[in-house]
Short mmCIF file of all heavy atoms in Angstrom, two decimals:
data_model
loop_
_atom_site.label_atom_id
_atom_site.label_comp_id
_atom_site.label_asym_id
_atom_site.label_seq_id
_atom_site.Cartn_x
_atom_site.Cartn_y
_atom_site.Cartn_z
N PRO A 19 5.33 -34.39 22.18
CA PRO A 19 6.21 -35.07 21.24
C PRO A 19 7.55 -35.37 21.89
O PRO A 19 7.89 -34.77 22.89
CB PRO A 19 6.37 -34.07 20.11
CG PRO A 19 6.15 -32.75 20.74
CD PRO A 19 5.20 -32.98 21.85
N PRO A 20 8.30 -36.27 21.33
CA PRO A 20 9.60 -36.58 21.95
C PRO A 20 10.47 -35.33 21.95
O PRO A 20 10.38 -34.51 21.06
CB PRO A 20 10.17 -37.67 21.03
CG PRO A 20 9.37 -37.64 19.80
CD PRO A 20 8.05 -37.10 20.15
N PRO A 21 11.27 -35.19 22.98
CA PRO A 21 12.06 -33.95 23.09
C PRO A 21 13.03 -33.82 21.91
O PRO A 21 13.57 -34.79 21.43
CB PRO A 21 12.83 -34.11 24.39
CG PRO A 21 12.22 -35.29 25.07
CD PRO A 21 11.55 -36.12 24.05
N LYS A 22 13.21 -32.58 21.49
CA LYS A 22 14.14 -32.33 20.42
C LYS A 22 15.45 -31.91 21.02
O LYS A 22 15.51 -31.18 22.00
CB LYS A 22 13.65 -31.18 19.54
CG LYS A 22 12.55 -31.59 18.60
CD LYS A 22 12.34 -30.48 17.60
CE LYS A 22 10.85 -30.36 17.33
NZ LYS A 22 10.51 -29.23 16.58
N PHE A 23 16.51 -32.30 20.37
CA PHE A 23 17.82 -31.86 20.83
C PHE A 23 18.41 -30.94 19.82
O PHE A 23 18.50 -31.25 18.66
CB PHE A 23 18.77 -33.08 21.01
CG PHE A 23 18.38 -33.93 22.17
CD1 PHE A 23 17.50 -34.99 21.99
CD2 PHE A 23 18.84 -33.67 23.44
CE1 PHE A 23 17.12 -35.78 23.06
CE2 PHE A 23 18.49 -34.47 24.52
CZ PHE A 23 17.63 -35.53 24.32
N ASN A 24 18.82 -29.76 20.24
CA ASN A 24 19.54 -28.91 19.31
C ASN A 24 21.04 -29.12 19.51
O ASN A 24 21.47 -29.88 20.36
CB ASN A 24 19.11 -27.48 19.45
CG ASN A 24 19.50 -26.88 20.80
OD1 ASN A 24 20.21 -27.53 21.57
ND2 ASN A 24 19.04 -25.70 21.09
N SER A 25 21.79 -28.41 18.76
CA SER A 25 23.23 -28.68 18.77
C SER A 25 23.85 -28.33 20.11
O SER A 25 24.87 -28.86 20.48
CB SER A 25 23.91 -27.87 17.66
OG SER A 25 23.61 -26.52 17.86
N GLY A 26 23.19 -27.48 20.84
CA GLY A 26 23.74 -27.12 22.14
C GLY A 26 23.47 -28.16 23.21
O GLY A 26 23.92 -28.05 24.33
N GLY A 27 22.69 -29.17 22.82
CA GLY A 27 22.43 -30.24 23.78
C GLY A 27 21.31 -29.92 24.75
O GLY A 27 21.04 -30.66 25.65
N ARG A 28 20.62 -28.79 24.51
CA ARG A 28 19.55 -28.43 25.44
C ARG A 28 18.29 -29.13 25.03
O ARG A 28 17.95 -29.16 23.87
CB ARG A 28 19.35 -26.91 25.38
CG ARG A 28 19.07 -26.30 26.71
CD ARG A 28 19.34 -24.82 26.73
NE ARG A 28 19.28 -24.15 25.46
CZ ARG A 28 18.26 -23.36 25.09
NH1 ARG A 28 17.23 -23.21 25.88
NH2 ARG A 28 18.31 -22.75 23.94
N ARG A 29 17.58 -29.66 26.00
CA ARG A 29 16.33 -30.33 25.66
C ARG A 29 15.24 -29.31 25.44
O ARG A 29 15.12 -28.35 26.17
CB ARG A 29 15.91 -31.24 26.82
CG ARG A 29 16.60 -32.57 26.79
CD ARG A 29 16.31 -33.32 28.07
NE ARG A 29 16.25 -34.74 27.79
CZ ARG A 29 15.22 -35.52 28.16
NH1 ARG A 29 14.23 -35.01 28.82
NH2 ARG A 29 15.21 -36.80 27.84
N GLN A 30 14.48 -29.57 24.43
CA GLN A 30 13.31 -28.71 24.21
C GLN A 30 12.10 -29.57 24.01
O GLN A 30 12.19 -30.62 23.42
CB GLN A 30 13.50 -27.86 22.93
CG GLN A 30 14.64 -26.88 23.03
CD GLN A 30 14.93 -26.29 21.69
OE1 GLN A 30 14.70 -26.92 20.66
NE2 GLN A 30 15.43 -25.08 21.67
N PHE A 31 11.01 -29.15 24.51
CA PHE A 31 9.78 -29.84 24.15
C PHE A 31 8.72 -28.78 23.92
O PHE A 31 8.82 -27.66 24.37
CB PHE A 31 9.37 -30.81 25.22
CG PHE A 31 8.91 -30.14 26.51
CD1 PHE A 31 7.57 -29.81 26.70
CD2 PHE A 31 9.81 -29.85 27.50
CE1 PHE A 31 7.15 -29.19 27.87
CE2 PHE A 31 9.40 -29.22 28.66
CZ PHE A 31 8.06 -28.90 28.85
N CYS A 32 7.73 -29.17 23.21
CA CYS A 32 6.67 -28.22 22.98
C CYS A 32 5.35 -28.85 23.38
O CYS A 32 5.13 -30.02 23.27
CB CYS A 32 6.64 -27.78 21.52
SG CYS A 32 6.17 -29.06 20.39
N VAL A 33 4.51 -28.02 23.85
CA VAL A 33 3.17 -28.47 24.25
C VAL A 33 2.23 -28.02 23.16
O VAL A 33 2.17 -26.85 22.80
CB VAL A 33 2.75 -27.84 25.57
CG1 VAL A 33 1.32 -28.21 25.91
CG2 VAL A 33 3.70 -28.24 26.67
N LYS A 34 1.47 -28.95 22.63
CA LYS A 34 0.56 -28.57 21.57
C LYS A 34 -0.80 -28.28 22.20
O LYS A 34 -1.32 -29.06 22.98
CB LYS A 34 0.40 -29.71 20.57
CG LYS A 34 1.67 -29.85 19.72
CD LYS A 34 1.36 -30.50 18.40
CE LYS A 34 2.49 -30.14 17.49
NZ LYS A 34 3.34 -30.98 17.00
N ALA A 35 -1.35 -27.17 21.81
CA ALA A 35 -2.67 -26.84 22.33
C ALA A 35 -3.71 -27.47 21.44
O ALA A 35 -3.55 -27.59 20.26
CB ALA A 35 -2.85 -25.34 22.34
N CYS A 36 -4.78 -27.87 22.03
CA CYS A 36 -5.82 -28.52 21.25
C CYS A 36 -7.05 -27.65 21.19
O CYS A 36 -7.27 -26.79 22.04
CB CYS A 36 -6.16 -29.86 21.90
SG CYS A 36 -7.33 -30.76 20.89
N ALA A 37 -7.83 -27.85 20.20
CA ALA A 37 -8.95 -26.95 19.94
C ALA A 37 -10.02 -27.02 21.00
O ALA A 37 -10.64 -26.06 21.33
CB ALA A 37 -9.56 -27.28 18.59
N GLY A 38 -10.25 -28.16 21.56
CA GLY A 38 -11.32 -28.22 22.57
C GLY A 38 -11.13 -29.46 23.40
O GLY A 38 -10.40 -30.38 23.02
N THR A 39 -11.73 -29.49 24.54
CA THR A 39 -11.48 -30.65 25.41
C THR A 39 -12.52 -31.72 25.24
O THR A 39 -12.32 -32.87 25.53
CB THR A 39 -11.47 -30.24 26.90
OG1 THR A 39 -12.64 -29.46 27.12
CG2 THR A 39 -10.24 -29.40 27.18
N SER A 40 -13.70 -31.38 24.79
CA SER A 40 -14.70 -32.42 24.67
C SER A 40 -15.66 -32.05 23.56
O SER A 40 -15.69 -30.92 23.09
CB SER A 40 -15.46 -32.59 25.99
OG SER A 40 -16.30 -31.47 26.16
N ASP A 41 -16.46 -33.00 23.19
CA ASP A 41 -17.44 -32.74 22.15
C ASP A 41 -18.60 -31.95 22.66
O ASP A 41 -19.46 -31.53 21.92
CB ASP A 41 -17.98 -34.09 21.60
CG ASP A 41 -16.99 -34.68 20.63
OD1 ASP A 41 -16.51 -33.95 19.77
OD2 ASP A 41 -16.72 -35.87 20.78
N GLY A 42 -18.64 -31.74 23.96
CA GLY A 42 -19.80 -31.09 24.51
C GLY A 42 -19.83 -29.58 24.27
O GLY A 42 -20.85 -28.94 24.41
N GLU A 43 -18.69 -29.01 23.89
CA GLU A 43 -18.66 -27.56 23.71
C GLU A 43 -19.52 -27.14 22.53
O GLU A 43 -19.46 -27.73 21.48
CB GLU A 43 -17.22 -27.12 23.43
CG GLU A 43 -16.56 -26.63 24.70
CD GLU A 43 -15.28 -25.90 24.38
OE1 GLU A 43 -15.07 -25.54 23.21
OE2 GLU A 43 -14.51 -25.71 25.30
N GLU A 44 -20.27 -26.11 22.73
CA GLU A 44 -21.09 -25.59 21.64
C GLU A 44 -20.19 -24.95 20.58
O GLU A 44 -19.06 -24.60 20.85
CB GLU A 44 -22.09 -24.54 22.17
CG GLU A 44 -23.21 -25.15 23.00
CD GLU A 44 -23.99 -26.15 22.15
OE1 GLU A 44 -24.38 -25.82 21.04
OE2 GLU A 44 -24.19 -27.29 22.66
N GLY A 45 -20.72 -24.71 19.41
CA GLY A 45 -19.92 -24.33 18.24
C GLY A 45 -19.07 -23.08 18.40
O GLY A 45 -19.31 -22.06 17.74
N LYS A 46 -18.07 -23.16 19.23
CA LYS A 46 -17.23 -21.99 19.38
C LYS A 46 -16.08 -22.03 18.39
O LYS A 46 -15.49 -21.04 18.03
CB LYS A 46 -16.65 -21.94 20.81
CG LYS A 46 -17.64 -21.54 21.86
CD LYS A 46 -17.79 -20.01 21.89
CE LYS A 46 -18.74 -19.56 22.97
NZ LYS A 46 -18.20 -19.85 24.31
#
Side-chain angles (χ1 to χ4, degrees):
Chain A
K22 282 192 219 170
F23 289 91
N24 65 8
S25 56
R28 219 160 23 105
R29 277 171 146 232
Q30 295 170 331
F31 69 91
C32 68
V33 175
K34 289 206 160 113
C36 185
T39 49
S40 71
D41 280 314
E43 263 193 15
E44 288 301 310
K46 286 280 183 65

